[in-house]
Amino acid sequence: QSALTQPPSASGSPGQSVTISCTGTSSDVGGYNYVSWYQQHPGKAPKLMIYEVTKRPSGVPNRFSGSKSGNTASLTVSGLQAEDEADYYCSSYAGSNNLNYVFGTGTKVTVL
Amino acid sequence: QVQLVESGGGVVQPGRSLRLSCAASGFTFSSYAMNWVRQAPGKGLEWVAVVSDDGSNKHYADSVKGRFTISRDNSKNTLYLQMNSLRAEDTAVYYCARNLGYDYWGQGTLVTVSS
């Protein structure tokens, strides 16, 4: 199972928006509405930010939003804040053969 | 609140074995599938293995199949990863993560495979 493709980096100034893409195939992203996004600060564990494409866990600011079109999912961070600077990973359900989710390659978001 | 605490990491020589543990609290452990996910230094996340809520179904990444074994003890609220025939490329921080969507993660335990 190949990793989902994300851009290596993205950036924006405080208050601006940044959108990160996550491209897979019809066997993962395009086939299921089970795309999640994780935020990881240096030396810390990943944190779930978005699940089932668009849903936010309790406590996640509504500045974070998710969407999907075809085989590509996206995470948008609006009103960028300094604490949003982190690595972001997507993941998608990849079928019941292995009960596993495949991860994206990761995107480093820099707040300028 | 949900807590996952990994332990058992360390430095081990190639070819040797190590067993990781993940102690769970704050939720009904026996109701959730559990995963091990690893992250090599400076690299991305890699799913390693998953076990169903009752322990009856287990699946592994091709990179560890035949060498690693995932298990759980629901009476102890603990997840395990037995790692045999370790290789340098297994060096990583190993995280346990709850559920098929990885909704909660532990803080990770570092495994270094080196002679």
Side-chain angles (χ1 to χ4, degrees):
Chain A
Q1 188 70 45
S2 300
L4 307 176
T5 301
Q6 297 180 233
S9 62
S11 62
S13 299
Q16 290 186 332
S17 295
V18 65
T19 297
I20 305 165
S21 62
C22 169
T23 301
T25 68
S26 58
S27 296
D28 38 63
V29 174
Y32 308 95
N33 287 324
Y34 289 108
V35 176
S36 300
W37 290 92
Y38 307 88
Q39 177 191 66
Q40 186 180 35
H41 288 109
K44 301 295 186 181
K47 175 188 175 184
L48 180 67
M49 305 300 284
I50 295 287
Y51 67 101
E52 294 179 11
V53 180
T54 62
K55 298 177 181 178
R56 273 189 315 275
S58 173
V60 173
N62 59 11
R63 303 184 291 104
F64 291 85
S65 61
S67 63
K68 191 185 85 166
S69 177
N71 295 336
T72 298
S74 298
L75 173 72
T76 297
V77 185
S78 305
L80 268 174
Q81 299 183 5
E83 59 262 35
D84 299 332
E85 184 162 300
D87 293 325
Y88 291 83
Y89 294 90
C90 63
S91 75
S92 173
Y93 184 58
S96 59
N97 282 343
N98 280 332
L99 284 182
N100 71 300
Y101 280 56
V102 61
F103 285 104
T105 50
T107 298
K108 169 68 175 179
V109 169
T110 302
V111 181
L112 302 172
Chain B
Q1 72 281 20
V2 174
Q3 274 202 310
L4 299 168
V5 179
E6 300 93 338
S7 61
V11 180
V12 61
Q13 293 180 329
R16 303 299 290 265
S17 299
L18 206 60
R19 189 177 85 154
L20 306 182
S21 299
C22 169
S25 61
F27 65 101
T28 305
F29 182 69
S30 59
S31 295
Y32 291 87
M34 295 294 297
N35 301 267
W36 288 100
V37 177
R38 68 184 181 184
Q39 186 171 35
K43 302 296 184 182
L45 301 169
E46 179 190 16
W47 169 78
V48 173
V50 63
V51 60
S52 59
D53 53 1
D54 64 358
S56 61
N57 282 314
K58 304 174 184 180
H59 298 278
Y60 301 91
D62 288 344
S63 57
V64 307
K65 200 171 294 183
R67 299 188 300 122
F68 289 11
T69 301
I70 189 171
S71 63
R72 64 192 297 161
D73 186 337
N74 284 347
S75 68
K76 296 182 178 179
N77 290 345
T78 303
L79 175 73
Y80 302 100
L81 185 68
Q82 177 67 43
M83 303 185 295
N84 298 332
S85 304
L86 282 162
R87 305 167 180 168
E89 55 264 35
D90 296 319
T91 294
V93 174
Y94 284 74
Y95 297 99
C96 60
R98 191 184 80 164
N99 217 357
L100 297 182
Y102 317 127
D103 55 358
Y104 286 93
W105 299 63
Q107 85 289 349
T109 187
L110 176 61
V111 173
T112 303
V113 183
S114 174
S115 54

